[in-house]
Amino acid sequence: MLVLLPPSETKRDGGDDRALDLSRLSYQGLTGSRAAALDATRILALDPDAMAAALRLGPTQHGELERNRRIAQSPVMAAMDRYTGVLYDALDAATLSPSARSLARSSVVIHSALFGLVGAGDPIPAYRLSHDSRLPGLKLRSLWRASIGAELDRHDGLVLDLRSEAYVALGPVPVRPESYFLRVVAAGVDGKKRALNHFNKKGKGEFVRALLEAEQDHADGASLIEWARGRGIRLALGAPGELELEVEEVVAAQR
């Protein structure tokens, strides 16, 4: 089972005393692309005004510039603990049981605009880069799309893609059986389902937390759907290549 998560623009500060070491990250086939993205980010960091414009940062967000300037020397922590925001607050990786964290390290992958695919346990620094950030001499889609697609193609089990469509464009999962894009939907009072955008993040985080705490590795979509049914989680086949996670509309409206 491979669970693909989007990153978050917000990151937790701190970590241990070690600095970034690309050799300690999963998917070593991406090392060259990671080095290129890091080099371009460091070059951009030499001009704070240019970086603020490229990352679309306002005056109150200039602390993010220092993160990128010091990225090679900053302390690192596990990716699942580094990211914050709605999805990661709902996942709350720090309070997962030891067994659930172990399953996360072996089955959860986060798609970073800077590092490509990183394992949930991979040690990374705080940084600021988004899927649409403009780096000097480098287009993120050209950098990542083919290499990430190739890495994902090597996985022969269940793939559950929880990324946003913007990150899917940076490295789509090859179309094949047992690869699914997870779409979060809500049923209205009229019974009709509608897809959620921003408000899907909490539902995804809660779903992945439940999946990890169950400590069960699923070989296919049928196994996953059966498990969800037993937990009262409304998960079903949707459009071809998709699974639908249904949440209450009233709950979604509160997020």
Side-chain angles (χ1 to χ4, degrees):
M1 176 176 71
L2 181 66
V3 180
L4 276 171
L5 295 183
S8 173
E9 289 192 348
T10 56
K11 319 287 190 303
R12 185 170 286 109
D13 287 320
D16 61 30
D17 292 332
R18 295 171 295 173
L20 175 66
D21 181 352
L22 295 182
S23 70
R24 298 180 63 211
L25 302 184
S26 306
Y27 299 100
Q28 282 292 291
L30 300 177
T31 299
S33 296
R34 289 166 175 157
L38 282 165
D39 286 345
T41 302
R42 293 190 191 107
I43 292 171
L44 188 60
L46 298 175
D47 186 338
D49 290 337
M51 175 165 277
L55 302 184
R56 299 183 177 88
L57 298 176
T60 62
Q61 298 175 297
H62 279 201
E64 303 283 357
L65 304 181
E66 183 65 12
R67 280 180 166 178
N68 282 3
R69 192 181 69 82
R70 295 182 50 80
I71 197 166
Q73 297 82 35
S74 296
V76 295
M77 71 171 64
M80 61 181 151
D81 300 318
R82 174 67 72 192
Y83 294 99
T84 61
V86 176
L87 188 157
Y88 289 92
D89 290 348
L91 172 59
D92 198 8
T95 65
L96 288 170
S97 68
S99 296
R101 281 183 67 90
S102 178
L103 181 58
R105 284 190 289 270
S106 64
S107 63
V108 174
V109 171
I110 301 165
H111 184 170
S112 160
L114 181 60
F115 298 113
L117 303 177
V118 293
D122 286 1
I124 61 172
Y127 67 92
R128 182 62 177 255
L129 196 70
S130 301
H131 65 90
D132 57 352
S133 295
R134 302 184 302 275
L135 293 176
L138 197 63
K139 292 184 178 179
L140 291 177
R141 182 165 178 163
S142 299
L143 178 70
W144 292 123
R145 187 175 174 86
S147 57
I148 286 178
E151 292 290 345
L152 293 174
D153 195 35
R154 294 188 179 97
H155 185 80
D156 58 4
L158 173 66
V159 177
L160 187 61
D161 191 351
L162 281 71
R163 297 175 297 170
S164 64
E165 292 182 357
Y167 274 91
V168 170
L170 290 187
V173 177
V175 176
R176 58 179 177 78
E178 305 308 334
S179 289
Y180 300 97
F181 179 81
L182 184 72
R183 194 172 298 280
V184 181
V185 300
V189 293
D190 58 359
K192 293 182 179 179
K193 294 180 182 179
R194 60 184 180 85
L196 298 177
N197 293 318
H198 173 74
F199 297 112
N200 68 23
K201 296 178 182 179
K202 186 175 181 181
K204 287 179 177 178
E206 291 171 345
F207 175 77
V208 175
R209 181 179 179 86
L211 186 60
L212 295 173
E213 287 287 11
E215 299 176 18
Q216 181 179 348
D217 194 353
H218 297 277
D220 51 41
S223 171
L224 185 64
I225 291 171
E226 182 179 359
W227 164 82
R229 184 181 300 115
R231 292 299 184 97
I233 298 171
R234 286 170 291 185
L235 183 72
L237 290 170
E242 294 188 3
L243 292 176
E244 286 188 352
L245 175 65
E246 184 180 340
V247 300
E248 294 287 347
E249 187 171 38
V250 64
V251 174
Q254 294 172 351
R255 293 172 186 162

